[in-house]
Amino acid sequence: MYRTKEKLGNFTAEDAPQYEDVLQCMRCGFCLPTCPTFALTGRERSSPRGRVALARAVAEQKLEFTEAVKEEAFFCLDCRACTTACPSGVRAGEVMEVCRSQSHQQLPPPHLGKSFRAFILQRMLPDPDLLEKSMLPARLYQRLGIQWLVRHSKALKLGPAWMEKVEGMLPQLAAPLRPQLPELIPARGEKRGKVGFFLGCVMTLLYPGVSRQSVRVLAHQGFDVLTPQATRCCGAPHLSEGDRQTARELALFNLELFLRQDVDYIVTDCAGCGASLKEYEEILEGLAEHDRLAAFRAKIRDVSEFLAEVGLRTAGLTAVAKTVTYHEPCHLCHAQGISRQPRELLRRIPGVELREMAEASWCCGSAATWGLKFSAASQQVLDRKLNNVSQTGADILVTANPGCQLQLAWGVRQAGLKQEVLHLMELLGAATPE
Amino acid sequence: MISKTAIEHLQQRLGTANVAFEKEDLLVLGYDSTPGVHHLPEVAVYPTSSEGVLAAMEIARSEGLPIVPRGSGTGLSGGSVPVKGGMVICLNRMNRILEIDEENLAATCEAGVITLDLFNATAAKGLFYPPDPGSQKISTLGGNVMEDAGGLRGLKYGVTRDYVMALQCVLPDGSLLTTGGKSVKDVAGYSFKDLLVGSEGTLGIITAVTVKLIPPPQARRTFLAYFDDIRTAGEAVSKIIAAKIIPSTMEIMDRATINCVEDYVRIGLPRQMAALLLIEVDGHPAQVEEEAAGVEKILKAVKAAEIHVAKDAEEAGQLAAARRTALSALARVSPTTLLEDATVPRSMLAETFAEIERLTAKYQLKVGTFGHAGDGNLHPTVLCDERNQEEMARAHAFYDDLYTQVLAWGGTVSGEHGIGLAKKEYLARQIGAGGVKVMRRIKDAFDPAGILNPGKIFDEHDPCTQTHVEEGFRVSH
């Protein structure tokens, strides 16, 4: 859906929503109580129903594509909670993703912002080497003690709010994982198959330790793990920012790369990447052969989905005697419908006691760059989440997506909570013997 | 056109953040859940107290603006659509539960409290608020009262009206009326409370509600019964009632609805069945035991294809939740879901299903039927496309025929959704021109200037009462 079509109302022809998709909404309002931005504002236009109605008004030429429409397109967290809640099958999040692309066509930002965005999206993210080099200053910043100085001098208070948050969110950086990871890690024990591992950008740069555990766990579970060095960004940041053209180029590249490999499944430990890979079939419609798209789509698994499906081998796992609560990443539970499997895995780790938090599938307020663009609103969404986390009294807060992990780890630190924040694979890695 | 001064005035009195006049804000307040209606207000306000509502009312009156109250906009007859423009008063920021009075078994809330939130808050204290409209997760209590919302438990426990003890209401003349109270018995004068319940925002704007609570049933049992023929399901319902068993719930879904709901919930509903009944009995454990046995016996006697008993409360909850999605799930099939609210005496259920089948074939339409079979309240829903004028005309003819028959059987044109915009012409047929005339006189008594939700329930100037000889009005059922 949403490829180049004929012009619809006041949308431009390129990447416009389809009329059928906005007409599908029968305005029952089932989405209202699930929408974090509606909960924040109580304003109909900041609800999924309202946003779809705005898109419909643009399509029906009752409204120009105005600044307010653009504002709502970017204020939407794209958490897809409304998609889960909608009995009629309306995909308001995707409609808003397309509207973001429309906003770049119709209401382009000032020149400077435009080139900065283009540089990040079109130069850096598609180029793994460049991306890795770009992290060097940040690592030096931490290593040389400048971070310590900056934090203690409160110098960041002078800059924009998002800068202070970015700085505060940075985990202790290690060298990127991609160049270090062997392309093929052989299975341990009785071999069960061969998987391709899709290493995401944020994982290799900010959480190399997590993906290191993922591939180790997969090998330990009996799978040869192939991680193609040439893998490029999945395109999720581009879809999120409304750059659908670059997203398609990246998708085509990854599609061809992985279809060339002899693997049974393609596994990722990043919920954002998983959701994006599963949507290649739609964004590449008409650009690649249907059979190839379907074959690719059929192989994609989130690591938790995969391990639950093949069955976790628990023999030899060491006990982790901890209480754990689980935060569901939006792009896992709402975009991919994976909710049961991570819990199933947690319950199977010896010693782990799972304590459910209230509203486990409510967004944490990270949502790609949303948490930086709307830092005050993000803080409110995060506070609601942290309150639910702390009510459980669990030792460990587990999640399964790097964006959530950055936001939650930062939030827990800021609020002085006791919880350690881990990716599910880190916990499973801790239970998996060397 | 609203003046700039009036907007400034509103901003001063209600706070800038509680006044909206941008087109994008107004566009999304021009609808409720009723298909095909969209009219923009000139301004919208979000009061946070009754004083705010009073202030908004005062300014609207001085500007001569029509006023339309609005909760979550889940209405299904167009009650909150601002057909004459003017001011929409959104009550969803007045969402505090003010008191749960355990000594008097009563709860008092602001109008914007979400129905399910009240249910949960009272359940936490071991009490029960029975009305449960399908939209309970979204709809507001004020909206429930204004439309006299029903729900899945209406059969045994009644509708919103049966639980309203007191109302606080802003009247069009700018006064604040409190009517009713926590006394169980009260026959002092006209019952304004009963007049206001179901008045669809035409007489006053509710700002707070006191509702009656009851002790929760100690036990419940939930069944699913499947049928090869929907008329058999109707027969089962009539026989259960005739056997003097009143389940708390008897909900029906036909094949089209089963399939759409299953597409969404994926809990393994059998797609090939012609109909299913969701039946719940509740009460004292011994009574539940006895009634459940009676229900099973009747289901077997009418030859239900299969009977399934929910294994636990979780499964029962899941089934009820699935049923609640019926209407929205039907929207998967077509862009427009034109739903009706026909209600018949329960002995006529099987005939009603047969009539719906006959008319579906006659007008060549796609129809999904579901509803509260136990109280005779069905929602036959035409699955159509509002862009297809010819199909819409057939849908209209379908309802026209159906209502003629329903009224001939002593039924009603609305069981729980109200008249609003959608059913004005049918109301006149049910209660007669004389009935409409008396209603209009009552409206005039409350709202002589006609500024409150104009154009709803009946037209402002109904030609039929001016040109026709007044008929006597039929006793309603």
Side-chain angles (χ1 to χ4, degrees):
Chain A
M1 72 200 242
Y2 308 135
R3 292 257 4 264
T4 305
K5 300 278 174 191
E6 66 226 60
K7 188 168 154 54
L8 173 67
N10 289 334
F11 288 110
T12 58
E14 201 182 320
D15 282 321
Q18 288 189 25
Y19 192 46
E20 293 298 323
D21 290 321
V22 292
L23 210 56
Q24 194 70 35
C25 173
M26 48 87 67
R27 298 167 173 172
C28 64
F30 271 57
C31 54
L32 297 178
T34 69
C35 177
T37 55
F38 180 66
L40 285 179
T41 64
R43 262 186 5 165
E44 179 77 12
R45 73 173 227 199
S46 304
S47 76
R49 179 173 69 176
R51 289 182 173 121
V52 171
L54 288 181
R56 181 170 170 174
V58 175
E60 289 173 349
Q61 294 185 307
K62 288 178 181 162
L63 186 69
E64 294 293 320
F65 192 96
T66 58
E67 282 292 342
V69 179
K70 174 180 174 178
E71 203 178 295
E72 283 309 332
F74 282 97
F75 188 45
C76 166
L77 288 146
D78 199 13
C79 70
R80 314 278 174 99
C82 51
T83 305
T84 302
C86 178
S88 321
V90 178
R91 293 183 288 183
E94 279 164 87
V95 172
M96 285 301 114
E97 259 187 8
V98 183
C99 284
R100 290 180 186 186
S101 152
Q102 282 286 320
S103 78
H104 293 301
Q105 298 171 50
Q106 304 212 29
L107 303 165
H111 187 67
L112 187 67
K114 198 170 152 186
S115 6
F116 181 66
R117 174 179 166 275
F119 176 73
I120 301 272
L121 291 175
Q122 287 154 22
R123 281 292 315 283
M124 282 204 14
L125 279 167
D127 183 342
D129 291 321
L130 194 58
L131 204 55
E132 279 157 17
K133 285 193 194 110
S134 75
M135 291 305 286
L136 201 63
R139 278 160 55 213
L140 285 174
Y141 165 80
Q142 289 186 334
R143 290 275 168 77
L144 300 178
I146 307 170
Q147 181 172 48
W148 186 92
L149 252 169
V150 167
R151 285 188 179 176
H152 285 77
S153 69
K154 312 249 187 266
L156 283 161
K157 299 266 180 244
L158 303 170
W162 64 266
M163 207 186 263
E164 190 182 359
K165 186 168 174 184
V166 169
E167 201 284 333
M169 283 175 108
L170 271 188
Q172 193 58 47
L173 296 170
L177 182 62
R178 189 185 66 101
Q180 308 171 45
L181 199 64
E183 276 231 337
L184 185 73
I185 300 174
R188 309 253 312 251
E190 194 193 329
K191 186 176 158 181
R192 295 205 273 176
K194 185 174 180 184
V195 299
F197 185 70
F198 188 93
L199 179 61
C201 307
V202 189
M203 297 312 288
T204 179
L205 298 176
L206 299 184
Y207 284 116
V210 174
S211 284
R212 199 186 287 283
Q213 292 299 333
S214 295
V215 290
R216 198 172 71 82
V217 166
L218 285 166
H220 200 270
Q221 288 290 324
F223 295 93
D224 286 338
V225 185
L226 178 83
T227 313
Q229 287 273 315
T231 310
R232 289 192 188 163
C233 168
C234 67
H238 305 80
L239 290 177
S240 168
E241 289 298 320
D243 179 1
R244 301 180 76 78
Q245 189 44 42
T246 312
R248 284 194 195 101
E249 287 161 17
L250 290 167
L252 264 179
F253 177 86
N254 287 322
L255 174 88
E256 297 304 333
L257 173 68
F258 273 88
L259 282 180
R260 278 201 303 274
Q261 320 295 329
D262 164 37
V263 292
D264 309 320
Y265 296 96
I266 302 160
V267 178
T268 180
D269 57 5
C270 168
C273 295
S276 160
L277 295 171
K278 285 177 179 178
E279 284 170 14
Y280 278 8
E281 204 177 355
E282 288 168 2
I283 66 164
L284 292 181
E285 191 190 293
L287 291 177
E289 280 170 53
H290 185 77
D291 292 353
R292 292 173 69 75
L293 288 171
F296 180 79
R297 169 67 186 85
K299 287 186 179 187
I300 309 297
R301 297 286 185 282
D302 180 76
V303 67
S304 65
E305 179 188 23
F306 177 69
L307 291 175
E309 188 178 316
V310 297
L312 186 73
R313 293 202 299 220
T314 51
L317 291 189
T318 50
V320 183
K322 297 279 185 189
T323 49
V324 168
T325 189
Y326 173 61
H327 160 73
E328 306 197 48
C330 298
H331 278 82
L332 202 57
C333 65
H334 299 305
Q336 299 183 59
I338 299 169
S339 196
R340 165 185 57 83
Q341 297 93 324
R343 293 179 165 86
E344 225 169 85
L345 294 182
L346 284 171
R347 288 201 189 91
R348 299 204 64 189
I349 302 174
V352 163
E353 181 201 330
L354 177 61
R355 284 190 199 164
E356 285 291 341
M357 69 170 93
E359 305 179 324
S361 64
W362 191 266
C363 183
C364 66
S366 169
T369 54
W370 194 91
L372 303 174
K373 284 179 190 148
F374 304 97
S375 56
S378 172
Q379 188 64 50
Q380 281 178 273
V381 183
L382 178 61
D383 287 344
R384 180 167 173 159
K385 177 59 67 178
L386 294 178
N387 181 42
N388 286 327
V389 169
S390 90
Q391 301 265 314
T392 66
D395 306 320
I396 301 176
L397 168 56
V398 165
T399 187
N401 184 56
C404 308
Q405 195 167 354
L406 282 168
Q407 169 95 339
L408 293 170
W410 181 75
V412 162
R413 260 198 318 275
Q414 296 286 311
L417 298 180
K418 61 162 191 173
Q419 276 80 14
E420 188 181 1
V421 181
L422 295 179
H423 189 288
L424 175 56
M425 286 300 118
E426 287 179 283
L427 193 68
L428 200 48
T432 302
E434 285 302 328
Chain B
M1 194 59 195
I2 186 167
S3 67
K4 208 165 155 258
T5 4
I7 287 179
E8 281 165 8
H9 231 119
L10 284 166
Q11 288 173 327
Q12 279 161 18
R13 299 280 297 271
L14 285 107
T16 318
N18 295 321
V19 181
F21 50 88
E22 279 183 32
K23 193 175 179 191
E24 292 83 357
D25 276 302
L26 304 176
L27 259 168
V28 298
L29 296 175
Y31 52 71
D32 64 2
S33 268
T34 316
V37 277
H38 195 211
H39 297 272
L40 265 55
E42 290 176 51
V43 66
V45 294
Y46 293 84
T48 53
S49 66
S50 347
E51 288 71 38
V53 179
L54 278 166
M57 184 82 94
E58 189 190 312
I59 294 164
R61 262 193 333 164
S62 66
E63 290 282 307
L65 288 174
I67 299 168
V68 184
R70 188 180 195 276
S72 295
T74 59
L76 285 158
S77 58
S80 59
V81 176
V83 272
K84 305 268 170 192
M87 177 193 288
V88 166
I89 301 188
C90 302
L91 291 145
N92 60 327
R93 289 185 188 165
M94 289 176 60
N95 57 2
R96 290 173 304 163
I97 297 174
L98 301 170
E99 183 193 32
I100 296 176
D101 180 348
E102 293 178 75
E103 286 180 4
N104 285 306
L105 297 184
T108 303
C109 317
E110 290 183 327
V113 167
I114 302 292
T115 315
L116 188 64
D117 291 346
L118 172 66
F119 176 88
N120 288 334
T122 54
K125 295 195 181 286
L127 291 164
F128 183 34
Y129 175 66
D132 63 338
S135 57
Q136 61 169 358
K137 274 190 192 172
I138 317 127
S139 60
T140 59
L141 215 58
N144 290 177
V145 171
M146 275 303 171
E147 299 292 321
D148 190 10
L152 276 62
R153 286 189 281 260
L155 169 57
K156 178 171 177 177
Y157 293 102
V159 295
T160 305
R161 173 182 305 283
D162 302 309
Y163 294 85
V164 174
M165 299 183 84
L167 292 174
Q168 193 190 58
C169 187
V170 173
L171 296 179
D173 67 0
S175 60
L176 192 65
L177 174 79
T178 302
T179 166
K182 286 183 190 170
S183 306
V184 174
K185 297 166 83 175
D186 179 8
V187 293
Y190 291 158
S191 178
F192 286 141
K193 155 176 89 71
D194 280 290
L195 206 50
L196 286 161
V197 177
S199 66
E200 306 188 26
T202 61
L203 302 181
I205 298 177
I206 291 175
T207 51
V209 190
T210 301
V211 294
K212 178 170 83 176
L213 305 173
I214 60 175
Q218 297 164 30
R220 55 167 59 96
R221 189 160 320 154
T222 308
F223 296 86
L224 264 190
Y226 304 115
F227 300 86
D228 298 325
D229 184 334
I230 194 164
R231 282 166 290 196
T232 320
E235 205 185 310
V237 171
S238 303
K239 287 199 163 148
I240 289 168
I241 300 294
K244 302 181 180 58
I245 299 171
I246 308 288
S248 51
T249 291
M250 270 204 278
E251 296 287 312
I252 194 158
M253 291 199 253
D254 72 353
R255 182 181 288 131
T257 316
I258 293 172
N259 278 282
C260 289
V261 169
E262 177 60 17
D263 281 342
Y264 172 56
V265 295
R266 300 193 185 279
I267 53 172
L269 298 176
R271 294 175 176 276
Q272 74 288 358
M273 290 294 174
L276 72 74
L277 277 181
L278 172 73
I279 305 175
E280 189 162 282
V281 288
D282 69 4
H284 186 275
Q287 178 199 355
V288 167
E289 204 60 42
E290 194 185 314
E291 291 188 346
V295 167
E296 276 203 81
K297 204 171 133 196
I298 293 167
L299 290 173
K300 282 179 184 150
V302 299
K303 297 201 166 51
E306 207 186 309
I307 303 165
H308 169 77
V309 181
K311 61 178 189 299
D312 50 26
E314 194 188 336
E315 192 187 346
Q318 200 180 39
L319 293 172
R323 157 61 189 87
R324 287 178 201 279
T325 67
L327 170 62
S328 315
L330 281 169
R332 289 176 170 257
V333 175
S334 65
T336 311
T337 45
L338 214 56
L339 141 146
E340 279 303 342
D341 191 20
T343 306
V344 294
R346 290 171 291 198
S347 59
M348 300 309 289
L349 265 181
E351 284 82 350
T352 309
F353 290 126
E355 181 68 3
I356 291 170
E357 272 181 16
R358 189 181 74 78
L359 294 173
T360 303
K362 179 179 171 189
Y363 291 109
Q364 297 284 301
L365 291 163
K366 263 192 282 185
V367 175
T369 301
F370 63 95
H372 318 289
D375 39 39
N377 183 191
L378 298 180
H379 300 309
T381 303
V382 176
L383 309 174
C384 49
D385 187 334
E386 61 197 83
R387 291 168 292 185
N388 182 343
Q389 289 302 313
E390 184 273 332
E391 189 184 38
M392 297 306 279
R394 274 185 284 134
H396 190 79
F398 171 92
Y399 287 125
D400 214 59
D401 282 12
L402 181 65
Y403 278 130
T404 304
Q405 187 56 66
V406 163
L407 290 175
W409 284 333
T412 169
V413 299
S414 178
E416 58 179 8
H417 294 165
I419 299 300
L421 296 169
K423 272 176 294 191
K424 288 195 281 190
E425 57 169 295
Y426 300 127
L427 175 73
R429 277 207 246 162
Q430 179 174 331
I431 66 170
V436 173
K437 196 169 174 185
V438 174
M439 283 195 185
R440 194 173 295 118
R441 276 195 221 133
I442 292 170
K443 162 84 174 162
D444 287 344
F446 275 82
D447 180 22
I451 58 166
L452 248 189
N453 213 1
K456 306 299 165 64
I457 307 182
F458 32 74
D459 291 324
E460 288 152 290
H461 300 289
D462 187 350
C464 108
T465 54
Q466 288 159 9
T467 55
H468 286 70
V469 181
E470 198 174 304
E471 306 162 24
F473 39 98
R474 209 163 63 87
V475 178
S476 77
H477 294 260

